[in-house]
Amino acid sequence: MKKNKLFLSTLSLCTLALLLTSCNGGGDTSNSENSSSTPVSKSYTYNDYLAVNPTKWNPHTWETNDESYILNYTT
């Protein structure tokens, strides 16, 4: 029983050490010589919020502009 606990704890520590060392950390990996001549592409996310949730999802029965708002952005 003690060997099993020792094995599991050793395996857990090795797995944790492997995970922590394999993470990049998201730091800057560019060279200082090459960073000024290479353009950097950035990605952006558009966040939009609704004050009123649509009550009808069928385009044939829409009564207000709020109900067509989501479908207009997704089509």
Side-chain angles (χ1 to χ4, degrees):
M1 187 71 170
K2 288 185 179 182
K3 287 184 180 182
N4 193 16
K5 286 184 180 179
L6 180 64
F7 174 73
L8 287 177
S9 63
T10 305
L11 181 64
S12 298
L13 286 174
C14 290
T15 305
L16 181 63
L18 180 65
L19 286 174
L20 290 176
T21 57
S22 65
C23 293
N24 186 9
D28 186 19
T29 59
S30 63
N31 295 336
S32 60
E33 299 171 359
N34 198 13
S35 64
S36 62
S37 63
T38 306
V40 177
S41 64
K42 295 182 180 180
S43 85
Y44 298 95
T45 302
Y46 177 72
N47 294 319
D48 194 12
Y49 302 97
L50 296 174
V52 178
N53 287 332
T55 56
K56 299 176 184 176
W57 291 90
N58 185 356
H60 300 291
T61 60
W62 285 337
E63 296 176 0
T64 64
N65 192 29
D66 293 332
E67 294 167 349
S68 65
Y69 187 78
I70 293 176
L71 190 63
N72 288 337
Y73 279 105
T74 57
T75 56

